[in-house]
Amino acid sequence: MEPWRRAQGLPGHDSQQLMTRNKPMTLRFAAWIVPLICCFVLSGWAQHKADVAYFEMVRVKPGDNEKFETTMKRHWAWHEKRGETWSYFVWTVDTGKNDGAYQVASFGHTWKEVDESNALVAGTPGPEEDPEPYQQAVQESYYRFRPDLSIGSPVKQPLPVASVTQILLKPETVQDFEVALQRIKKALPNTDGAPALWYELVTGGDQPQFLLIEERRDWASFHEGGELDFVKKGIYGSKIPEETVKSFWNSIVSIYAETWHYRPDLSRLTDRGAAR
């Protein structure tokens, strides 16, 4: 589903080959994807729920950022000429191990729409419309939005800054994590409607994994902390039972956090691509 790599005619969801790429032109196929996708199809989730979110991390070759950004803008024009209607939001990573990388995402899709989009951009863009030569490393992932765990919903255009946290769980503790999180959220202080969006990884990384995106209008808005900061403090005298907090933390294998700032100049917004 990578916007520019999809243009090389790679298979879509129908062929059951969703991929992660760690360096240009290298494919790694996950054998477990086939039964996983089949389960989604049988349940009806895969084709009918518009909660598929696509994320792609792109690290650019040293010194090629300007060329990459210029070509990316032309590439979105190539998408438009092909009749593809998705919105693609682009961020630059400010902190963490991926500092300096680009994050590209699209939200609110069904798997059927993924296939349709893949078919529309199955082709090779011209040299001036192809960002791939400037890429050093790419990793793509598919998530599903979890409204039952979230505060708010994806918006038509992201806020300027975001705190992004990846959480890897113990396989046997997913239900404990979700139950604890739902209980914790009932005790969270009023955040004035600031979105805290949770996504569950479908493919493209270690599992079970969740992604938390907390958006704000500026960095100063984070001064009171996010959800996880509140949970850390919450065990000391808040309305959250200590056992719930322990269940939450005990279910986690690792946590990785970074900050992003939104790049409207590099993004592609369409009416059809608005998040649901």
Side-chain angles (χ1 to χ4, degrees), residues 19 41 64 66 69 86 105 129 131 137 147 190 200 240 245 248:
M19 297 155 284
V41 172
D64 281 349
E66 184 176 350
E69 292 186 4
W86 285 23
E129 300 168 317
N190 189 343
E200 181 181 1
I240 307 173
V245 177
F248 178 84

Side-chain angles (χ1 to χ4, degrees), residues 11-19 29-39 41 115:
H13 168 72
D14 279 337
S15 57
Q16 300 171 332
Q17 296 178 2
L18 302 179
M19 297 155 284
F29 293 87
W32 53 269
I33 283 298
V34 174
L36 177 63
I37 295 301
C38 288
C39 288
V41 172
D115 292 334

Side-chain angles (χ1 to χ4, degrees), residues 55-246:
F55 288 87
E56 176 186 286
M57 188 276 291
V58 181
R59 187 171 292 282
V60 175
K61 295 175 182 177
D64 281 349
N65 287 70
E66 184 176 350
K67 294 177 181 177
F68 173 79
E69 292 186 4
T70 299
T71 308
M72 181 189 290
K73 296 173 185 177
R74 294 171 179 160
H75 186 77
W76 296 144
W78 182 83
H79 273 244
E80 184 174 359
K81 287 186 290 186
R82 304 286 292 191
E84 202 257 10
T85 60
W86 285 23
S87 282
Y88 292 96
F89 305 105
V90 181
W91 293 262
T92 301
V93 181
D94 292 326
T95 63
K97 64 183 180 182
N98 296 316
D99 180 22
Y102 298 86
Q103 285 284 352
V104 183
S106 191
F107 305 99
H109 303 292
T110 65
W111 286 116
K112 182 175 182 292
E113 290 170 347
V114 171
D115 292 334
E116 292 170 348
S117 179
N118 285 342
L120 285 170
V121 296
T124 303
E128 294 186 351
E129 300 168 317
D130 186 2
E132 187 169 4
Y134 309 113
Q135 298 172 5
Q136 184 178 60
V138 175
Q139 181 173 347
E140 57 181 357
S141 305
Y142 287 89
Y143 287 79
R144 68 182 180 109
F145 177 56
R146 292 294 304 270
D148 56 320
L149 303 178
S150 300
I151 296 174
S153 59
V155 294
K156 292 183 179 180
Q157 183 166 336
L159 296 177
V161 294
S163 173
V164 182
T165 307
Q166 292 177 320
I167 301 177
L168 183 64
L169 302 179
K170 302 171 186 175
E172 69 277 11
T173 63
V174 174
Q175 184 174 4
D176 293 339
F177 174 82
E178 293 181 354
V179 170
L181 180 58
Q182 288 171 338
R183 290 174 178 171
I184 288 167
K185 294 181 80 65
K186 293 180 180 179
L188 288 176
N190 189 343
T191 57
D192 296 324
L197 309 179
W198 285 89
Y199 298 86
E200 181 181 1
L201 183 67
V202 176
T203 180
D206 295 329
Q207 292 182 296
Q209 184 183 137
F210 286 77
L211 187 73
L212 169 63
I213 300 179
E214 297 174 284
E215 295 182 277
R216 300 292 188 271
R217 297 194 178 280
D218 51 48
W219 290 120
S221 303
F222 283 100
H223 72 281
E224 295 182 354
E227 281 195 12
L228 299 185
D229 295 308
F230 180 77
V231 176
K232 290 176 184 176
K233 300 173 183 177
I235 196 170
Y236 305 107
S238 78
K239 298 179 181 179
I240 307 173
E242 183 174 337
E243 191 61 34
T244 297
V245 177
K246 286 183 177 180

